[in-house]
């Protein structure tokens, strides 16, 4: 299965520490060798670094790890391909523009029988179920709200309804951001932590590296980090419940609600069900 | 004024040599200090590196110069801001998706009174005339062809008609690519070279660096390079005539036609006319 990493902050913050550990899982401490990507929002602009190479050994990942890009919203992904070849166009996060904002999307899971028709407002470039899902979500938002940008509350409510449509069809952990908020769906597993004063020390789970946030932060700073598996081994990460949707804003939880947990606990369960034809 | 660099090839080729000289113009051999960007197509996928820092001194530009990304179509841009702040969202090339392909666009010039209404199919994220123009072009293509991808010839013909609409409104040198072809509009100045067998040696104009293409190429390789000012000082670059539109494919000229030359030879002429209100 792929892994996700998201960050949402109230002041522009770099993700170098978290990404140091995360990238190791792309071919060193874990098996997600089929490419990686990371997208940063800076103001209304965004930059996305994509690489079909394993992140643990990528020149580009080394640059991202060592070059501090300060951002309010970040989405990263390391891929273990389930559907779609290992190619640049199948590498997450995917980017589209809607209502004059960039939108980034990364997906961890598989929705083997969910290919709803698209109207041609957004069209996938690659051949993953993930990009199809992203295009479908943005098309539905565009059709519901027209050319008018919805409020955060209306956006969250619309995303909940859309998520209920596909949550039962497979595994649909995802991160979505428009640079203003970061939305996270926990279908099987996802954890988060909100780091705020009083700050402490954190130690990476995937490499022997620590950081003392007291030395790097101001008292009002607040950062939410969301990830498939906790990145540090000495902090209190919160497991999100399967079947829950979260909106983060300014480094904190803005809203949350129930959706539907995946009927499959793991990708192996899903693969077995697909092979047996029990649900598909 | 900004500067453009484009490359279109018949085999995936890296742009490290050309970019070595081009990046120097962003703050070292020339004044284009207000950010830079480069986009590469690899298969149907694309990756775009954007930086609001001057390219001559950018860590990211050093990576792009030294890390060979092999591509059939590349568009790069170094910016001297005329309209729109120096911010990431105003950094070229701009990216959108249409008909399941990425499109990249970079503009050198200024269209001060050309802000046609947009329908909301594509909306600018930043506040440059360049991104507005790009959104307008793609919207018009989408409206003309619907959800059906046009042939190269139909696309070229449509782009000519659109270019005739805005060519008189200012300076509109641009590069546009969908990963299949690269389209170049010469409004005031743009040069190209087609490198093919027999290959020779090339020496950069902006730094003392040479490359012998005989050592790096196969006999059937063909590469078209398009740029605002010739990158090498010992090759026969062809000046495109002001008021001409070109389509490059497989490293060669696919088609060309007349448009309308800019009424202004330089940005200074345009600025004077704008200040005098003679045309606006």
């Amino acid at each position: 299965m792929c892994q996700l990493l998201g960050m949402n902050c109230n002041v522009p913050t770099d993700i170098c520490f978290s990404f140091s550990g995360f990238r190791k899982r792309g071919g060193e401490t874990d098996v997600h060798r089929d490419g990686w990507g990371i997208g940063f929002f800076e103001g209304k602009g965004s930059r996305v670094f994509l690489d079909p190479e394993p992140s643990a050994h990528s020149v580009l990942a080394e640059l991202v790890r060592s070059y501090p890009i300060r951002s309010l919203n970040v989405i990263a992904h390391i891929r273990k391909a389930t559907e779609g070849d290992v190619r640049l166009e199948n590498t997450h996060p995917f980017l589209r523009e809607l209502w004059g904002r960039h939108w980034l999307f990364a997906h961890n899971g598989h929705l083997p029988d969910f290919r709803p028709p698209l109207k041609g407002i957004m069209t996938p470039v690659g051949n993953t179920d993930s990009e199809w899902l992203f295009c479908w979500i943005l098309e539905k938002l565009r059709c519901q709200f027209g050319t008018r940008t919805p409020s955060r509350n209306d956006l969250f409510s619309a995303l909940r309804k859309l998520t209920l449509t596909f949550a039962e069809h497979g595994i649909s952990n995802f991160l979505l951001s428009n640079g203003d908020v970061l939305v996270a769906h926990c279908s099987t597993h996802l954890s988060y932590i909100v780091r705020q004063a009083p700050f402490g020390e954190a130690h990476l789970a995937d490499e022997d590296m620590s950081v003392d946030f007291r030395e790097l932060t101001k008292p009002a700073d607040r950062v939410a980090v969301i990830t498939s598996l906790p990145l540090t081994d000495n902090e209190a990460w919160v497991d999100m419940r399967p079947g829950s949707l979260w909106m983060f804003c300014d480094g904190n939880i803005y809203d949350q609600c129930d959706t539907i947990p995946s009927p499959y606990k793991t990708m192996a369960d899903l693969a077995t069900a697909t092979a047996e034809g029990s649900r598909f």
Side-chain angles (χ1 to χ4, degrees), chain A residues 49-70:
Chain A
F49 297 86
L50 300 172
D51 201 350
E53 300 297 314
S55 57
H57 315 295
S58 154
V59 176
L60 207 54
E62 178 53 30
L63 179 111
V64 169
R65 188 200 64 76
S66 60
Y67 181 57
I69 295 177
R70 292 181 203 287

Side-chain angles (χ1 to χ4, degrees), chain A residues 2 26 32-37 50-55 77-81 86-87 90-92:
Chain A
C2 309
H32 314 283
R33 300 180 57 84
D34 300 329
W36 65 279
L50 300 172
D51 201 350
E53 300 297 314
S55 57
H77 182 269
I78 47 177
R79 183 164 183 240
K80 175 125 181 24
V86 180
R87 300 171 68 161
N90 289 337
T91 307
H92 312 218

Side-chain angles (χ1 to χ4, degrees), chain A residues 41-46 72-73 95-104 122 134 138 149-150 152 155 177-181:
Chain A
F41 282 97
E42 295 162 80
K44 287 183 74 188
S46 72
L72 293 181
N73 287 284
L95 170 71
R96 289 293 188 281
E97 172 266 311
L98 178 63
W99 300 314
R101 293 201 80 119
H102 293 145
W103 294 69
L104 291 175
M122 308 275 168
F134 179 39
L138 291 192
T149 307
R152 288 174 186 160
L155 174 65
S177 179
N178 61 358
D180 176 48
V181 295

Side-chain angles (χ1 to χ4, degrees), chain A residues 23-242:
Chain A
R23 71 173 284 212
K24 295 272 177 187
R25 299 175 181 176
E28 201 170 304
T29 59
D30 212 332
V31 296
H32 314 283
R33 300 180 57 84
D34 300 329
W36 65 279
I38 187 166
F40 300 86
F41 282 97
E42 295 162 80
K44 287 183 74 188
S46 72
R47 16 184 179 184
V48 181
F49 297 86
L50 300 172
D51 201 350
E53 300 297 314
S55 57
H57 315 295
S58 154
V59 176
L60 207 54
E62 178 53 30
L63 179 111
V64 169
R65 188 200 64 76
S66 60
Y67 181 57
I69 295 177
R70 292 181 203 287
S71 174
L72 293 181
N73 287 284
V74 180
I75 290 179
H77 182 269
I78 47 177
R79 183 164 183 240
K80 175 125 181 24
T82 48
E83 187 175 322
D85 318 320
V86 180
R87 300 171 68 161
L88 188 61
E89 62 264 35
N90 289 337
T91 307
H92 312 218
F94 302 103
L95 170 71
R96 289 293 188 281
E97 172 266 311
L98 178 63
W99 300 314
R101 293 201 80 119
H102 293 145
W103 294 69
L104 291 175
F105 179 83
H107 171 218
N108 158 12
H110 190 31
L111 292 167
D113 70 345
F114 188 75
R115 290 270 171 151
L118 296 169
K119 295 176 194 298
I121 299 173
M122 308 275 168
T123 307
V125 173
N127 60 347
T128 62
D129 54 344
S130 307
E131 192 187 10
W132 193 286
L133 175 64
F134 179 39
C135 290
W136 178 81
I137 289 172
L138 291 192
E139 275 205 354
K140 286 287 183 184
L141 291 176
R142 178 67 171 74
C143 290
Q144 179 173 348
F145 296 106
T147 57
R148 184 182 64 83
T149 307
S151 67
R152 288 174 186 160
N153 290 339
D154 288 349
L155 174 65
F156 191 62
S157 172
L159 285 171
R160 177 173 187 267
K161 275 188 204 149
L162 293 174
T163 303
L164 290 174
T165 314
F166 56 78
E168 279 190 298
H169 286 255
I171 297 178
S172 58
N173 304 293
F174 71 74
L175 297 176
L176 171 73
S177 179
N178 61 358
D180 176 48
V181 295
L182 192 146
V183 175
H185 182 238
C186 177
S187 167
T188 53
H189 62 281
L190 212 52
S191 303
Y192 77 90
I193 190 168
V194 173
R195 293 192 182 117
Q196 55 192 339
F199 290 98
E201 195 174 298
H203 179 265
L204 287 181
D206 293 79
E207 95 176 274
D208 187 14
M209 184 176 165
S210 294
V211 67
D212 188 341
F213 289 116
R214 285 167 293 202
E215 296 168 5
L216 302 171
T217 50
K218 291 179 179 160
D221 291 0
R222 197 171 50 224
V223 177
V225 180
I226 303 101
T227 182
S228 298
L229 290 173
L231 288 164
T232 59
D233 51 21
N234 65 338
E235 293 182 295
W237 291 79
V238 182
D239 288 339
M240 296 168 162
R241 63 192 180 283

